[in-house]
Amino acid sequence: MANLLIPWLFLVQTLTIVAKTRAKVPAVIVFGDSSVDSGNNNFIPTIARSNFPPYGQDFPGGQATGRFCNGRIPPDLISEALGLKPTIPAYLDPMYSISDFAVGVCFASAGTGYDNATSEVADVIPLWKEVEYYKEYQQKLKAYLGDRKAKKILSEALYLISLGTNDFMENYYTLPNRRLQFTVNQYQDFIIGLAADFVKTIYSLGARKMSLTGVPPMGCLPLERTTNIMEDHACMEEYNNVGLEFNGKLKGLVAKLNSELPGLDVVFADAYNLLLQVIKRPSVYGFEESRTGCCGTGRFEMSFLCDPHSPFTCQDADKYVFWDAFHPSEKTNRMITDHLLKTSLAKFL
Ligand SMILES: *[C@@H]1O[C@H](CO)[C@@H](O)[C@H](O)[C@H]1NC(C)=O
């Protein structure tokens, strides 16, 4: 009897494993800023670009795609981990078509924020317009796959939402308008309100599985450290604290939205602490430098200032936590992604 049971148990177990490894998520759909933009800004007139060397030097084929990194960014790595494609194409890139976008599409735009005013700083795609592109995508997907199949993909897809840093760094702390209007605490609440509206909007359009990413320790971005002359380029504690507070509110919003909207499964993706640890003790994590980025002097260079002819650009970006003065290196992106796949994103695997 026991001998007969064992193969059966084994078979049942095998079937469960097969069911589990089959991708539950049929597509990855991305909204946000440069943390997740795979090159939409190449196709709009803006200075917030990165489709030239040394960007992309460690990307497959050494190609500068418009990702603000030496290599791949978290949505690419997440897509790959879900058993989908190893890169997620930019929606505005004419090299790709709806057959590519059916399994992964990116609407993100470097330099954008939740606040319309943030997207105006560098003339990039505002979040409401990312949603307009998403609506257009839905129509194309329905024409391509038929209504029923398209709706199934749209409701089972994983939506990655990553922005907010620019609202504070490029807008609130750089320009006067929002500071005259709001205390930083009020501005956080304003942004949280816009994040809630955004989630409700894409929910009403059929999105169900979402990951809402918090902000990093913003005061430790090399660009912010560069301005901290009085404290020998230490992290700007005020910006870090604002980031922590904002993330706390975002986490609260996620709980509220899950209880309010039936069938919604939104998670809060938090890499703040991991990134702070890596920045504080880079050698523990296999890095040599966390105060400056690899590109140029690493203190202020990003976008067009990250110059292909700079003699200062590092040889091995893997030794750097940051690739440019504002964006993590691919190695850091991998570390962040592995962390998220083990925590908030685990339920979607
Ligand atoms: C942002 O701009 C869009 C388009 O003009 C508008 O529909 C939306 O209401 C604006 N959002 C806010 C919060 O002002």
Side-chain angles (χ1 to χ4, degrees), residues 118-131:
T118 304
S119 63
E120 287 163 18
V121 176
D123 242 327
V124 297
I125 304 169
L127 191 55
W128 66 264
K129 186 123 186 233
E130 292 188 20
V131 174

Side-chain angles (χ1 to χ4, degrees), residues 190-299:
F190 174 68
I191 298 297
I192 292 290
L194 296 176
D197 291 345
F198 173 76
V199 169
K200 286 175 189 167
T201 301
I202 63 169
Y203 172 84
S204 74
L205 292 167
R208 289 296 178 271
K209 299 176 182 177
M210 305 180 200
S211 165
L212 202 53
T213 309
V215 295
M218 302 183 288
C220 296
L221 299 174
L223 189 67
E224 310 310 328
R225 292 174 88 124
T226 297
T227 61
N228 198 6
I229 297 162
M230 300 301 282
E231 295 174 303
D232 192 27
H233 305 297
C235 296
M236 300 275 272
E237 285 306 324
E238 184 192 349
Y239 297 166
N240 279 0
N241 291 335
V242 166
L244 263 184
E245 273 170 27
F246 177 74
N247 284 349
K249 291 179 184 183
L250 206 54
K251 199 173 168 189
L253 173 67
V254 161
K256 186 160 162 278
L257 290 168
N258 275 325
S259 71
E260 276 177 13
L261 303 173
L264 174 66
D265 194 350
V266 54
V267 297
F268 171 59
D270 189 9
Y272 182 103
N273 277 316
L274 172 68
L275 204 46
L276 190 63
Q277 292 312 310
V278 173
I279 290 163
K280 295 244 145 118
R281 300 162 72 201
S283 63
V284 173
Y285 297 88
F287 294 99
E288 289 179 11
E289 177 58 53
S290 65
R291 291 167 61 99
T292 59
C294 166
C295 189
T297 65
R299 296 187 182 276

